[in-house]
Amino acid sequence: MRIKLSSIPIADYDKALKFYTQVLGFVKKRDIPLGHGARWLTVVSTDEPDGTELLLEPNASYPAMKSLKESLVKDGVPYTAFQVEDVQAEYARLRKLGVEFTMEPTDMGMSKVAVLDDTCGNLIQIYQVTGG
């Protein structure tokens, strides 16, 4: 069993694609029209183009998802996490691009983490493994 696909709830394909590619630095992997404006839209890491795909899934207005997202943001809980080599450097790079953070880089013992707003209603944690 392998993890090859994960998803993140979004409301607007183009807005999400712009943020996840032009700001976070992922690249578009698939953009398949499904009819009636729906798309199968995924992004991947430039470091792992054949790795796990992140599906930009337009289910943000589904009542249960909307409630979940609002609760997670209210409680400051990230929807997902992305590993980076250097949290401090990535934090500085993203801040220059106007990304808002709800948590600055913080040492958590075995890792250093920061939490950002993805402009799509989700909090995203970036983390750097610092210990064994």
Side-chain angles (χ1 to χ4, degrees):
M1 189 176 301
R2 293 173 288 197
I3 298 171
K4 295 300 284 177
L5 179 72
S6 187
S7 67
I8 192 143
I10 57 130
D12 180 290
Y13 287 113
D14 295 327
K15 179 181 180 183
L17 182 61
K18 182 178 180 181
F19 182 82
Y20 279 84
T21 58
Q22 294 178 18
V23 177
L24 293 187
F26 294 117
V27 293
K28 181 169 61 173
K29 175 83 175 198
R30 302 180 202 281
D31 191 352
I32 304 167
L34 300 174
H36 306 289
R39 296 154 66 181
W40 183 266
L41 180 60
T42 66
V43 296
V44 293
S45 167
T46 57
D47 294 336
E48 296 179 341
D50 294 320
T52 302
E53 295 179 52
L54 181 67
L55 176 65
L56 304 179
E57 191 164 14
N59 61 0
S61 61
Y62 176 68
M65 182 57 71
K66 184 176 180 183
S67 178
L68 172 65
K69 285 175 57 159
E70 289 171 355
S71 295
L72 290 173
V73 169
K74 179 182 173 210
D75 293 343
V77 176
Y79 188 86
T80 194
F82 303 132
Q83 185 175 9
V84 298
E85 291 297 317
D86 182 336
V87 165
Q88 195 65 48
E90 195 64 18
Y91 171 80
R93 182 186 78 80
L94 292 171
R95 290 278 304 196
K96 285 181 184 175
L97 293 173
V99 174
E100 294 183 22
F101 281 79
T102 60
M103 185 172 117
E104 295 181 0
T106 303
D107 187 345
M108 298 296 224
M110 298 296 283
S111 64
K112 192 175 210 180
V113 305
V115 177
L116 61 94
D117 179 339
D118 78 346
T119 73
C120 299
N122 305 295
L123 296 180
I124 306 294
Q125 177 176 288
I126 57 174
Y127 70 95
Q128 169 188 348
V129 176
T130 57

